[in-house]
Amino acid sequence: MRLSRLVMTLVLALPLVATTASAASTSRMPITLTSVLPAVAEAVPSPGDDFRITGRTTVSAPDSVAGQLADALRPATGFDLPLVPAGGDIDLALEPGHGDEGYRLTVRKSGVDLRATAPAGLFNGVQTLRQLLPAAAEAGAPIIPGGTIDDRPRYAYRGTMLDLARHFHTPDEIRRYIDQISRFKINYLHLHLGDDQGWRIEIDAWPRLTTVGGGPGTGVGGDGGGFLTKDDYRGLVRYAAERFVTIVPEIDMPGHVNAAQVAYPELTCDGVAPRARTDMRVGYSTLCVRAEITYRFLDDVLRELAEMTPGPYLHIGGDETFATPHGSYLAFQRRLLPLVRKHGKIPYGWHEIGQSPAAGDARLQFWGRERNNPSVTSAVAAGAKVIMSPSEHTYLDMKYDNFTPGGLDWAGAIEVSTAYGWDPATQLGGIPESSVIGVEAPLWSETLRSLADIEFLAFPRLVAIAEIGWSPRATHDWDSFRARLGAYGPRWVRDGVRFHRSPEIRWS
Ligand code: TNX
């Protein structure tokens, strides 16, 4: 099923490049096996072995997907790229030996072989193949450079986050973001679904969360509002899975809960509804840690979220709890962390949850700027794993520079070179390299409304984070990265992505 959709993606992509007008042939850099973003692990070019796509080029993929492939080939294109049962000129197949997400791409004069152990690996190989074809092929025949790529990720977790709470983003906008992030082998999308301003995911047992907490005017500054229905959410999970992206839902607690308390005053200790708030302050709200109803509420929310989330993680926030005394915070985590596990999920939270002795094998999302964090060190010693989101490198909501429209600046300006200039393995001292399982670039939405706003802050910086997360340390090289990024520009133009034309990059 997944494989079939993957093959459709490939086949739909090929005719497109085969028929539109050329840009790449006039750009500064010829496409080679090492032009790819994120950088591939190993490439052995074979000059003279280029493969030329023509009107007679055939495509094959495993039997189970042949039908869908044929359907996908029918749209009128310059080239037919007809499907054959096996041994096509462009041949996709599964075989052992390439890991969960890796693949081998072999390009010869006689054809192209893409091999992977799992469908996710084929999908990743297809993203590479797309970038090896011109941004827009001339009416003539596009050429794929000859040689072999052996590629696999450095880290298993390569994520980004959208904040639906401060400004709601629609399912269409989220799908479009998924389309773009998956081009760069980003495989986790974290959705921040509840905060002081708004609550954005339907929960059957507590309907006012969305009817009140997600109502009109619940965005920052009284903007917009809105929420995902369960159907919306399930649809996003499916759409993401077809692109090998796993959704991670977050409900932030015990702080960042004002919208839930406006909807349900019984979630406060005095039972009095707070006023609705759409300013940008943080750290003033807290669930009532000593009240039993708090844990019935959490049990319901986590159960319903777990039911509609096939991925392994539930993100429980845990940051900026200035209104929760430390002892109460620990008492709260002692009850909350087992609830997540009871619903079959691995607890994932901002690194503050590492203060809890109950963190166990939880995932800690490190967002700090310090180079050593004692509670992270001790949580890791007790079995926790870390996802690196150091704010001064990965926060996509920071301005690029003083002139950036929108964005915040508390973690400093982040130009592309700053997003690229760090190493997840050594950024945080006091923990072994093996405890870091990946990277994530959060995009907070206080100042963002539209998809254009999202794209402008995410691209190109998210690509830097994707390369930091996917590519081997030895391939990290700013000059190489900026040249490849500059050459990617025409693809974003073609796709209508409104990226930041960073002055650090020479754009094609
Ligand atoms: C800090 S990072 C927050 C968010 C804000 C963000 C703005 C983190 C765990 N918490 O509540 O939206 O700064 O950049």
Side-chain angles (χ1 to χ4, degrees):
M1 195 56 172
R2 292 177 121 201
L3 185 60
S4 65
R5 295 217 178 84
L6 154 72
V7 171
M8 283 172 59
T9 310
L10 167 68
V11 170
L12 288 170
L14 291 177
L16 189 75
V17 297
T19 49
T20 35
S22 171
S25 62
T26 57
S27 75
R28 287 183 192 87
M29 262 202 343
I31 296 176
T32 70
L33 293 184
T34 51
S35 299
V36 179
L37 290 163
V40 300
E42 296 168 51
V44 182
S46 176
D49 253 344
D50 299 348
F51 177 74
R52 181 175 285 266
I53 296 180
T54 72
R56 289 184 304 278
T57 302
T58 59
V59 178
S60 54
D63 271 3
S64 56
V65 300
Q68 284 93 336
L69 248 185
D71 289 346
L73 285 168
R74 264 167 217 135
T77 63
F79 297 129
D80 245 5
L81 296 174
L83 175 73
V84 296
D89 302 310
I90 299 175
D91 181 47
L92 281 67
L94 296 172
E95 68 177 29
H98 304 287
D100 292 343
E101 294 190 89
Y103 63 91
R104 173 176 297 159
L105 182 69
T106 311
V107 181
R108 294 187 212 86
K109 253 194 167 63
S110 55
V112 175
D113 286 344
L114 177 57
R115 298 288 179 265
T117 305
L122 287 183
F123 181 83
N124 288 328
V126 168
Q127 304 318 308
T128 293
L129 192 49
R130 291 173 107 159
Q131 291 186 39
L132 294 178
L133 291 161
E138 42 277 85
I143 286 167
I144 306 175
T148 301
I149 288 176
D150 262 301
D151 200 14
R152 69 202 76 86
R154 181 180 186 194
Y155 292 110
Y157 188 109
R158 305 170 307 278
T160 183
M161 186 203 84
L162 288 179
D163 170 11
L164 274 57
R166 273 52 177 272
H167 276 101
F168 183 63
H169 305 305
T170 66
D172 274 345
E173 292 172 329
I174 299 167
R175 278 190 284 270
R176 167 107 183 159
Y177 192 56
I178 291 170
D179 287 344
Q180 288 300 324
I181 67 176
S182 61
R183 301 284 173 99
F184 304 104
K185 306 181 174 87
I186 294 287
N187 63 348
Y188 283 89
L189 176 62
H190 166 183
L191 298 177
H192 184 77
L193 294 169
D195 214 300
D196 290 319
Q197 297 83 353
W199 183 285
R200 309 298 181 203
I201 180 73
E202 192 172 43
I203 300 293
D204 295 333
W206 299 74
R208 290 168 55 82
L209 288 172
T210 43
T211 56
V212 175
T218 54
V220 163
D223 280 350
F227 61 89
L228 300 175
T229 65
K230 286 191 152 178
D231 279 350
D232 288 336
Y233 181 84
R234 290 198 185 94
L236 286 172
V237 165
R238 254 194 323 273
Y239 189 88
E242 287 161 14
R243 288 151 189 81
F244 298 89
V245 171
T246 300
I247 300 284
V248 178
E250 177 191 353
I251 299 296
D252 203 347
M253 49 207 171
H256 293 272
V257 293
N258 196 66
Q261 294 177 320
V262 170
Y264 289 101
E266 52 271 51
L267 296 175
T268 65
C269 277
D270 60 8
V272 177
R275 68 185 170 91
R277 286 184 59 167
T278 59
D279 59 276
M280 287 167 42
R281 295 268 313 281
V282 297
Y284 57 83
S285 63
T286 180
L287 290 170
C288 187
V289 170
R290 62 173 187 270
E292 274 313 303
I293 190 172
T294 296
Y295 303 97
R296 287 203 297 281
F297 167 74
L298 296 180
D299 195 25
D300 289 337
V301 169
L302 294 174
R303 179 182 0 92
E304 293 192 31
L305 270 183
E307 276 166 9
M308 53 185 173
T309 302
Y313 303 126
L314 290 187
H315 199 304
I316 52 177
D319 60 314
E320 297 174 328
T321 52
F322 313 133
T324 319
H326 185 63
S328 302
Y329 184 80
L330 297 183
F332 178 77
Q333 295 297 350
R334 196 157 51 238
R335 303 267 318 252
L336 173 61
L337 287 156
L339 277 182
V340 177
R341 297 186 178 102
K342 175 180 119 183
H343 294 299
K345 299 297 177 184
I346 300 171
Y348 181 13
W350 300 107
H351 67 258
E352 287 92 325
I353 72 166
Q355 298 168 62
S356 169
D361 69 347
R363 305 298 187 259
L364 312 181
Q365 183 166 12
F366 178 72
W367 63 280
R369 283 177 282 170
E370 65 275 23
R371 304 301 293 258
N372 213 293
N373 183 299
S375 66
V376 172
T377 301
S378 55
V380 164
K385 301 283 186 208
V386 179
I387 283 97
M388 291 298 295
S389 299
S391 44
E392 81 272 39
H393 296 292
T394 70
Y395 267 39
L396 300 177
D397 59 314
M398 292 301 119
K399 291 175 179 289
Y400 290 97
D401 58 28
N402 290 338
F403 308 106
T404 306
L408 303 175
D409 59 10
W410 64 263
I414 303 181
E415 249 301 350
V416 184
S417 56
T418 303
Y420 192 73
W422 65 290
D423 181 21
T426 56
Q427 175 74 16
L428 189 59
I431 58 172
E433 289 195 20
S434 59
S435 65
V436 175
I437 60 166
V439 297
E440 183 177 300
L443 177 50
W444 300 97
S445 284
E446 282 91 338
T447 67
L448 312 184
R449 290 181 179 75
S450 64
L451 179 65
D453 295 340
I454 292 174
E455 289 175 347
F456 180 76
L457 288 176
F459 301 112
R461 287 181 293 194
L462 181 59
V463 187
I465 304 304
E467 178 149 314
I468 295 294
W470 174 278
S471 310
R473 179 79 184 98
T475 66
H476 296 180
D477 179 80
W478 168 245
D479 286 329
S480 157
F481 178 73
R482 66 195 282 265
R484 285 177 285 124
L485 192 57
Y488 196 90
R491 295 173 199 268
W492 277 325
V493 172
R494 175 199 66 197
D495 294 348
V497 173
R498 288 144 289 190
F499 64 105
H500 165 60
R501 288 186 170 270
S502 164
E504 294 187 330
I505 308 299
R506 205 170 325 133
W507 298 99
S508 294

